[in-house]
């Protein structure tokens, strides 16, 4: 039996992956992850094995090399860049007499250090317990087998079964608490929808500068540091736009390659803000030579969250490192597609605010509606919305109203009042009217 040490941060990093050795960029990111967690890196090894070994994931020769390095460097921890099965993790620890942590366990540890709010701590604990529930394998002294033989048979369940039962109970408690927090978040979202306040979410690969941009836009004073996952808990602030309107800006948790599924599941209520947003600012580190791979990885997470259909503006940050000026590129419809700026110096921030305002500007619907004398309440609702441009009294006591109102507000009105979609006559959007005038 091997008793796992309870402390120690002197770590050996083993760079490996299923199918071969990781590239230099992946190795650099893994070193950043380890140092962000507080590890003191004393040695680094690379494994280029094409097919994972069923017992150790790595080959026996690499296990012996690791064992020599542990003794030579007085290492207390080995961190692998790949995901290990529970049995592989146990076998490595028994063979090396040293704690072993895989990539998922490392990221979960970083999240545990960064969580500050009540909700964030609950989410991280839930993710850790979900991860731990898959790691309950026999092999350590605190998870002993029941002994057999006369006089040695146990009185009931094993310690392993007790651990499973306690973890399952705690997971149910955490889910119940997070459901309550999620309900409050959903209520807040509904209130913002009723008040017609749009939401803009900032997403991006970790360390792309999301919190710096958030502070530049809102003066929120969010904690900023040059390390992975420096901020974890989401923050919301009201943002004033150049046209006088307002939006809610949301700073979300950073994404990363192979983000553990336990985290995505646990943070789903928080990340729901991204799915429900009216617009996403996809922040990209323009100075990163591997930025296109980062973009694909962020989009993959957004797709997993069902947020890939939300309109995006790509924001290329850190142009100060490239000694370039701010600029804007448009899509085929003439909408702002990408903005190049520096969140650190503030160059390009006014340009981004203008683009956000343009993309959030609501489409207006123009048309006429005939109301019967019995629909006086609906007439009052339309006046309250400020949608009535002109009114004509009809001979039967009804009204003919010329309307101009927000497209989304009109859709909600139809649903709330149970009105047919074709109730408006001569329907046109403000955009189509402008095009007709130009022709």
């Amino acid at each position: 039996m091997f008793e796992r040490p309870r402390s120690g941060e002197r770590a050996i990093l083993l760079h490996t992956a299923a199918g071969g050795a990781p590239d230099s960029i992946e190795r650099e990111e893994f070193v950043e992850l380890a140092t962000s967690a507080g590890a003191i890196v004393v040695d680094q090894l690379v494994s280029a094995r094409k097919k994972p070994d069923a017992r150790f994931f790595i080959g026996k020769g690499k296990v012996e090399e690791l064992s020599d390095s542990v003794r030579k460097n007085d290492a207390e921890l080995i961190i692998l860049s790949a995901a290990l099965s529970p049995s592989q993790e146990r076998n490595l620890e028994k063979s090396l007499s040293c704690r072993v942590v895989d990539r998922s366990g490392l990221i979960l540890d970083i999240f545990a250090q960064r969580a500050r709010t009540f909700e964030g701590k609950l989410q991280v604990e839930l993710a850790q317990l979900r991860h731990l529930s898959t790691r309950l394998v026999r092999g350590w002294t605190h998870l002993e087998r029941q002994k057999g033989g006369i006089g040695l048979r146990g009185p009931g369940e094993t310690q392993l079964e007790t651990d499973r039962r306690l973890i399952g109970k705690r997971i149910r408690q955490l889910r119940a608490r997070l459901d309550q927090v999620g309900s409050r978040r959903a209520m807040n979202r509904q209130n913002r929808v009723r008040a017609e306040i749009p939401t803009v979410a900032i997403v991006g690969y970790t360390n792309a500068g999301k919190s710096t941009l958030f502070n530049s836009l809102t003066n929120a004073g969010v904690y900023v540091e040059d390390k992975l996952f420096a901020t974890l808990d989401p923050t919301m602030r009201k943002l004033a736009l150049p046209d006088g309107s307002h939006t809610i800006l949301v700073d979300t948790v950073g994404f990363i390659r192979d983000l553990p599924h336990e985290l995505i599941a646990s943070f789903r209520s928080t990340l729901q803000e991204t799915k429900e947003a009216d617009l996403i600012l996809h922040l990209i580190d323009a100075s990163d030579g591997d930025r296109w791979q980062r973009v694909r990885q962020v989009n993959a997470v957004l797709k997993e969250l069902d947020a890939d259909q939300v309109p995006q503006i790509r924001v290329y940050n850190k142009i100060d490192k490239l000694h370039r000026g701010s600029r804007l590129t448009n899509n085929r419809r003439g909408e702002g597609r990408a903005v190049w700026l520096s969140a650190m110096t503030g160059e390009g921030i006014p340009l981004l605010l203008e683009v956000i305002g343009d993309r959030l500007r609501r489409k207006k619907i123009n048309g006429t509606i005939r109301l019967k004398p019995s629909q006086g309440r609906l007439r009052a609702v339309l006046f309250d919305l400020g949608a009535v441009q002109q009114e004509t009294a009809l001979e039967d006591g009804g009204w003919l109203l010329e309307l101009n109102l927000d497209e989304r507000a009109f859709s909600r009105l139809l649903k709330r009042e149970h009105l047919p979609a074709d109730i408006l006559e001569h329907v046109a959007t403000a955009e189509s009217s402008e095009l007709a005038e130009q022709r």
Side-chain angles (χ1 to χ4, degrees):
M1 292 293 182
F2 162 62
E3 182 68 35
R4 308 180 87 195
R6 297 183 180 273
S7 62
E9 308 300 337
R10 292 177 59 82
I12 298 173
L13 304 187
L14 179 59
H15 303 277
T16 186
D23 58 32
S24 59
I25 294 177
E26 291 177 348
R27 292 198 297 269
E28 290 174 7
E29 179 185 271
F30 188 55
V31 173
E32 276 194 85
L33 277 174
T35 54
S36 293
I40 302 171
V41 180
V42 296
D43 195 11
Q44 298 184 50
L45 301 177
V46 177
S47 174
R49 190 179 181 90
K50 292 184 178 180
K51 185 178 180 181
D53 179 75
R55 186 180 181 190
F56 294 115
F57 188 90
I58 56 177
K60 291 183 180 179
K62 190 62 65 175
V63 173
E64 293 177 0
E65 188 178 350
L66 272 173
S67 182
D68 292 339
S69 182
V70 168
R71 289 192 296 270
K72 179 181 176 181
N73 296 287
D74 293 325
E76 301 153 310
L77 174 66
I78 294 173
I79 309 176
L80 275 76
S81 61
L84 297 176
S85 70
S87 60
Q88 288 169 341
E89 183 179 308
R90 176 200 60 190
N91 292 336
L92 281 172
E93 289 193 336
K94 288 177 65 178
S95 178
L96 299 170
S97 297
C98 184
R99 276 189 304 144
V100 174
V101 176
D102 65 0
R103 179 185 173 85
S104 296
L106 178 63
I107 294 176
L108 287 169
D109 185 83
I110 295 173
F111 271 59
Q113 295 180 44
R114 304 288 191 268
R116 294 291 181 271
T117 64
F118 174 72
E119 181 184 10
K121 291 177 181 178
L122 289 179
Q123 289 168 328
V124 171
E125 184 181 354
L126 178 58
Q128 287 181 313
L129 288 176
R130 280 174 167 161
H131 182 71
L132 180 61
S133 66
T134 67
R135 307 278 126 176
L136 291 182
V137 292
R138 295 182 175 95
W140 301 304
T141 57
H142 69 286
L143 299 174
E144 291 178 344
R145 299 172 182 266
Q146 265 187 299
K147 295 181 179 180
I150 297 175
L152 295 176
R153 292 185 177 91
E157 64 183 351
T158 64
Q159 183 62 47
L160 179 61
E161 292 167 339
T162 302
D163 289 345
R164 284 177 176 156
R165 179 170 54 81
L166 293 175
I167 287 177
K169 181 180 179 180
R170 181 59 178 165
I171 285 177
R172 290 191 294 272
Q173 291 174 344
L174 291 173
R175 282 175 175 167
R177 290 187 182 182
L178 285 173
D179 285 344
Q180 295 176 355
V181 177
S183 298
R184 289 196 293 270
R185 281 190 175 276
M187 188 179 300
N188 290 336
R189 280 195 297 269
Q190 291 175 359
N191 291 336
R192 292 197 298 269
V193 170
R194 291 193 191 98
E196 298 187 4
I197 302 177
T199 302
V200 178
I202 304 177
V203 304
Y205 208 78
T206 183
N207 216 26
K210 295 186 304 302
S211 296
T212 303
L213 177 63
F214 189 82
N215 288 338
S216 297
L217 292 171
T218 65
N219 297 318
V222 173
Y223 175 73
V224 176
E225 189 172 346
D226 187 17
K227 61 170 62 174
L228 302 185
F229 303 116
T231 54
L232 172 60
D233 301 305
T235 307
M236 297 184 186
R237 292 290 187 275
K238 182 178 285 189
L239 174 65
L241 298 174
D243 61 0
S245 62
H246 291 83
T247 183
I248 299 297
L249 190 65
V250 184
D251 181 20
T252 62
V253 63
F255 298 155
I256 197 169
R257 177 179 58 87
D258 299 330
L259 193 66
H261 290 286
E262 297 92 349
L263 277 175
I264 294 178
S266 299
F267 280 75
R268 189 165 293 276
S269 63
T270 300
L271 295 173
Q272 187 77 5
E273 298 292 347
T274 303
K275 179 182 175 181
E276 300 293 337
D278 296 277
L279 181 66
I280 287 177
L281 302 184
H282 184 166
L283 197 64
I284 302 165
D285 184 352
S287 65
D288 185 356
D290 199 37
R291 62 176 178 269
W292 296 118
Q293 184 177 348
R294 308 288 191 231
V295 169
R296 288 191 293 270
Q297 289 157 354
V298 169
N299 286 333
V301 177
L302 289 175
K303 186 174 183 179
E304 189 169 352
L305 295 170
D306 297 324
D308 53 322
Q309 299 302 316
V310 179
Q312 274 192 27
I313 297 175
R314 288 187 176 178
V315 182
Y316 293 89
N317 189 26
K318 305 184 182 181
I319 60 172
D320 51 302
K321 293 186 177 181
L322 302 175
H323 305 290
R324 294 182 181 177
S326 61
R327 61 187 176 93
L328 166 69
T329 58
N330 296 325
N331 58 23
R332 294 179 180 178
R333 296 187 297 273
E335 300 172 330
R337 179 181 66 88
V339 178
W340 296 70
L341 55 75
S342 170
M344 182 66 70
T345 66
E347 183 179 1
I349 295 294
L351 184 61
L352 176 62
L353 289 172
E354 290 180 9
V355 174
I356 293 174
D358 290 340
R359 292 293 295 269
L360 291 179
R361 194 165 291 124
R362 309 285 180 85
K363 291 183 179 179
K364 296 290 185 177
I365 288 181
N366 296 300
T368 56
I369 183 173
R370 295 176 183 270
L371 299 182
K372 300 175 182 178
S374 59
Q375 294 179 297
R377 191 184 66 82
L378 178 57
R379 172 179 174 270
V381 170
L382 291 170
F383 271 98
D384 288 340
L385 289 174
V388 180
Q389 303 296 303
Q390 186 175 344
E391 179 184 37
T392 303
L394 301 177
E395 293 181 357
D396 63 355
W399 306 272
L400 180 67
L401 305 179
E402 182 180 335
L403 304 181
N404 182 291
L405 74 165
D406 177 74
E407 188 176 37
R408 279 182 288 182
F410 179 63
S411 298
R412 288 194 293 270
L413 177 68
L414 292 179
K415 185 176 181 179
R416 187 170 64 247
E417 301 294 334
H418 306 289
L419 299 173
D422 59 353
I423 192 172
L424 272 186
E425 303 172 7
H426 310 297
V427 179
T429 64
E431 290 183 354
S432 61
S433 299
E434 293 174 2
L435 289 175
E437 292 177 2
Q438 291 174 3
R439 292 173 183 170

